[in-house]
């Protein structure tokens, strides 16, 4: 299946798009030199396959034709991400937005810039598709949100606990956080808990056969969420298999609206088993070269294994303008857009040491804004009402 369709007679731009996709973005490209704007349905008839995620109206497509095509697709295929290649003239942007154009790309864009924009377009498509699925009465299972990082020390557990606490306000008692750093997990300390039961109990035969038994092994947290903490000793982790984790997450997704999974650094077997169950993956990196390179390598490996969830969220944690790197440097290195940037914060470090997530104690801090933006990405109500605002901000 081709995830991307390009309409343009411009062979130079076509070559740049193909180079961008070759840089690590999966999914084929099909190019058409011309599509009749009076009958756009012919486009998908010619594809003879499932519909794509991203439609690029490239250089040399007449503006009036491009807007007419975008308007039709916006009505018939609202999930489709339509990108217009052209100059972002302020007088034209409003017309483009009203026609359903999701983003505007410069005709002179280099492959790296094209790749980042296409990555963002795919995420936008996945978000709109997910929102429609959540609204559907057939969507019984909750979101499984995995928090990952190839390297340790980037604040992954802090991100996971704050996501869970933040979602606790969206769905009180409808959230569970699971610590799958089975040997050295810190969710218990991050939430100031002393759990009676752990993952060891949750994967027992009695719990795996009866979800009521499983729920009895969860620990209630004051922020109206549940927690399932890591085993009390590393030795207990030796008996827990990837199959145990697969079954555990399946059960929890049937019982809770949100399942937040904190994983061990790297790509261990337990983490890969969790990743296969995730509807959303949050990738956390710090603003240092080893972390960024580690994330790039990890994403490349998972692309080859075809294990990346459709919806991915890249979080730049402990962002610092004085580090010698910029957000653009990070995006160029990992080949994906940074969705949320969380500045370095003493308040976050202090809250972590106290065992009270910063989103729980309600203090004001620049990092809080970034964490709330991250939480909002999993709120169906926010997705439904804010998606248009996001598009407006992108194209204006």
């Amino acid at each position: 299946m081709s995830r991307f369709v390009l309409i343009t007679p411009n062979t130079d731009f076509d070559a740049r798009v193909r180079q961008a996709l070759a840089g690590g973005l999966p999914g084929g490209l099909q190019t058409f030199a011309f599509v009749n704007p009076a009958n756009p349905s012919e486009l998908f008839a010619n594809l003879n396959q499932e519909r794509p995620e991203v439609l690029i109206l490239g250089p040399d497509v007449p503006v009036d034709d491009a807007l007419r095509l975008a308007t039709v697709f916006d009505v018939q295929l609202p999930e489709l991400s339509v990108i217009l290649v052209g100059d972002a003239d302020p007088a034209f942007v409003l017309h483009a937005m009203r026609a359903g154009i999701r983003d505007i790309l410069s005709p002179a864009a280099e492959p790296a810039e094209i790749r980042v924009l296409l990555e963002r377009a795919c995420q936008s498509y996945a978000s709109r598709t997910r929102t429609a699925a959540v609204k559907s009465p057939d969507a019984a299972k909750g979101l499984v949100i995995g928090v990952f990082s190839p390297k340790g020390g980037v604040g992954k557990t802090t991100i996971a606990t704050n996501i869970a606490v933040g979602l606790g306000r969206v769905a009180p008692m409808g959230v569970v956080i699971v610590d799958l750093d089975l040997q050295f997990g810190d969710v218990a300390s991050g939430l100031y808990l002393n759990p009676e039961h752990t993952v060891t109990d949750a994967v027992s035969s009695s719990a795996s056969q009866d979800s009521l038994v499983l729920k009895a092994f969860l620990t209630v947290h004051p922020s109206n969420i549940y927690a399932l903490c890591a085993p009390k000793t590393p030795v207990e982790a030796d008996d827990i298999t990837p199959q145990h984790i697969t079954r555990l997450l399946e059960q929890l997704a049937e019982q809770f609206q949100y399942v937040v999974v904190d994983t061990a650094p790297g790509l261990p077997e337990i983490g890969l088993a969790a990743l296969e169950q995730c509807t959303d993956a949050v990738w956390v990196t710090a603003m240092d070269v080893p972390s960024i390179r580690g994330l790039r390598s990890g994403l490349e490996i998972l692309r080859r294994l075809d294990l990346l969830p459709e919806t991915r969220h890249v979080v730049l944690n402990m962002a610092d303008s004085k580090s010698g790197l910029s957000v653009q440097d990070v995006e160029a290195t990992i080949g994906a857009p940074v969705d949320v940037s969380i500045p370095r914060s003493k308040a976050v470090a202090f809250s972590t040491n106290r065992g009270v997530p910063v989103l729980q104690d309600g203090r004001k801090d620049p990092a809080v804004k970034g964490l709330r933006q991250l939480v909002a990405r999993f709120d169906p109500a926010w997705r439904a009402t804010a998606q248009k605002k996001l598009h407006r901000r992108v194209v204006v």
Side-chain angles (χ1 to χ4, degrees), residues 331-345:
E331 292 181 331
T333 301
I334 65 176
V338 170
D339 299 297
V340 177
S341 182
I342 301 173
R344 187 178 296 277
S345 167

Side-chain angles (χ1 to χ4, degrees), residues 197 201-202 204-219 226 228 247-248 251-252 254-256:
H197 302 286
D201 303 298
S204 63
S205 59
S206 58
S208 63
Q209 295 173 15
D210 190 335
S211 294
L212 291 178
V213 175
L214 171 61
K215 291 189 75 172
F217 292 141
L218 306 180
T219 303
Y226 290 92
L228 183 56
R247 174 58 182 159
L248 172 64
Q251 286 180 279
L252 293 174
E254 292 172 352
Q255 299 292 318
F256 291 91

Side-chain angles (χ1 to χ4, degrees), residues 81-138:
S81 290
V82 181
I83 297 172
L84 177 65
V85 180
D87 296 320
D89 181 79
F92 172 70
V93 165
L94 184 60
H95 295 290
M97 179 183 69
R98 288 174 175 170
I101 300 293
R102 308 295 182 184
D103 213 334
I104 296 178
L105 179 66
S106 169
E110 294 297 325
E113 182 181 351
I114 295 173
R115 182 173 63 250
V116 170
L117 187 139
L118 293 180
E119 181 84 22
R120 184 178 290 116
C122 289
Q123 292 189 13
S124 179
Y125 169 88
S127 294
R128 288 189 296 277
T129 304
R130 178 64 48 70
T131 298
V134 170
K135 289 182 178 179
S136 170
D138 296 329

Side-chain angles (χ1 to χ4, degrees), residues 33-109:
F34 171 79
V35 171
N36 184 359
N39 191 9
S41 61
E42 291 180 356
L43 170 64
F44 297 112
N46 292 333
L47 288 173
N48 194 28
Q49 59 179 23
E50 293 183 38
R51 291 170 175 170
E53 299 178 15
V54 181
L55 174 64
I56 310 164
L57 302 173
D60 302 324
V61 175
V63 172
D64 290 342
D65 290 349
L67 294 179
R68 191 175 296 111
L69 286 167
T71 301
V72 173
F73 290 135
D74 189 51
V75 174
Q76 296 183 352
L77 301 170
E79 294 85 10
L80 183 68
S81 290
V82 181
I83 297 172
L84 177 65
V85 180
D87 296 320
D89 181 79
F92 172 70
V93 165
L94 184 60
H95 295 290
M97 179 183 69
R98 288 174 175 170
I101 300 293
R102 308 295 182 184
D103 213 334
I104 296 178
L105 179 66
S106 169

Side-chain angles (χ1 to χ4, degrees), residues 98-396:
R98 288 174 175 170
I101 300 293
R102 308 295 182 184
D103 213 334
I104 296 178
L105 179 66
S106 169
E110 294 297 325
E113 182 181 351
I114 295 173
R115 182 173 63 250
V116 170
L117 187 139
L118 293 180
E119 181 84 22
R120 184 178 290 116
C122 289
Q123 292 189 13
S124 179
Y125 169 88
S127 294
R128 288 189 296 277
T129 304
R130 178 64 48 70
T131 298
V134 170
K135 289 182 178 179
S136 170
D138 296 329
K141 289 191 175 183
L143 297 184
V144 181
I145 304 164
V147 185
F148 302 88
S149 175
K151 295 183 69 67
V154 299
K156 178 175 50 58
T157 298
T158 298
I159 297 295
T161 52
N162 275 284
I163 290 174
V165 168
L167 289 174
R169 297 184 178 182
V170 177
M173 309 312 294
V175 181
V176 59
I177 181 171
V178 183
D179 193 344
L180 290 187
D181 188 348
L182 299 179
Q183 292 185 319
F184 305 106
D186 288 324
V187 167
S189 60
L191 293 174
Y192 200 66
L193 292 174
N194 185 21
E196 180 179 355
H197 302 286
T198 68
V199 174
T200 304
D201 303 298
V203 299
S204 63
S205 59
S206 58
S208 63
Q209 295 173 15
D210 190 335
S211 294
L212 291 178
V213 175
L214 171 61
K215 291 189 75 172
F217 292 141
L218 306 180
T219 303
V220 179
H221 186 263
S223 63
N224 293 323
I225 66 172
Y226 290 92
L228 183 56
C229 300
K232 296 181 179 180
T233 65
V235 176
E236 295 181 33
D238 293 341
D239 297 325
I240 300 176
T241 67
Q243 291 74 26
H244 285 142
I245 299 307
T246 298
R247 174 58 182 159
L248 172 64
L249 295 181
E250 287 176 344
Q251 286 180 279
L252 293 174
E254 292 172 352
Q255 299 292 318
F256 291 91
Q257 186 174 344
Y258 297 101
V259 181
V260 181
V261 184
D262 186 27
T263 62
L267 298 173
E269 283 189 318
I270 294 295
L272 292 176
L275 183 61
E276 289 186 291
Q277 299 301 311
C278 288
T279 59
D280 294 73
V282 177
W283 295 95
V284 184
T285 181
M287 210 165 189
D288 60 81
V289 172
S291 298
I292 297 168
R293 286 181 174 173
L295 179 57
R296 180 186 64 185
S297 299
L299 292 176
E300 288 177 352
I301 292 171
L302 294 173
R303 286 189 187 105
R304 294 171 188 169
L305 296 175
D306 197 23
L307 286 178
L308 287 174
E310 283 295 324
T311 307
R312 185 166 71 251
H313 317 267
V314 176
V315 176
L316 178 58
N317 196 26
M318 298 179 284
D320 188 348
S321 60
K322 299 179 181 179
S323 67
L325 298 173
S326 66
V327 174
Q328 291 73 23
D329 293 330
V330 177
E331 292 181 331
T333 301
I334 65 176
V338 170
D339 299 297
V340 177
S341 182
I342 301 173
R344 187 178 296 277
S345 167
K346 292 182 180 179
V348 171
F350 181 69
S351 68
T352 301
N353 291 335
R354 289 175 58 214
V356 181
V358 71
L359 289 187
Q360 181 184 351
D361 66 12
R363 69 174 59 205
K364 295 182 179 180
D365 187 84
V368 170
K369 181 179 179 181
L371 288 167
R372 286 176 176 166
Q373 289 175 345
L374 177 58
V375 171
R377 297 174 73 87
F378 309 109
D379 181 356
W382 179 90
R383 292 189 187 196
T385 58
Q387 193 66 49
K388 291 184 179 179
K389 295 180 181 179
L390 176 61
H391 295 155
R392 186 177 299 115
R393 179 174 60 81
V394 168
V395 299
V396 171

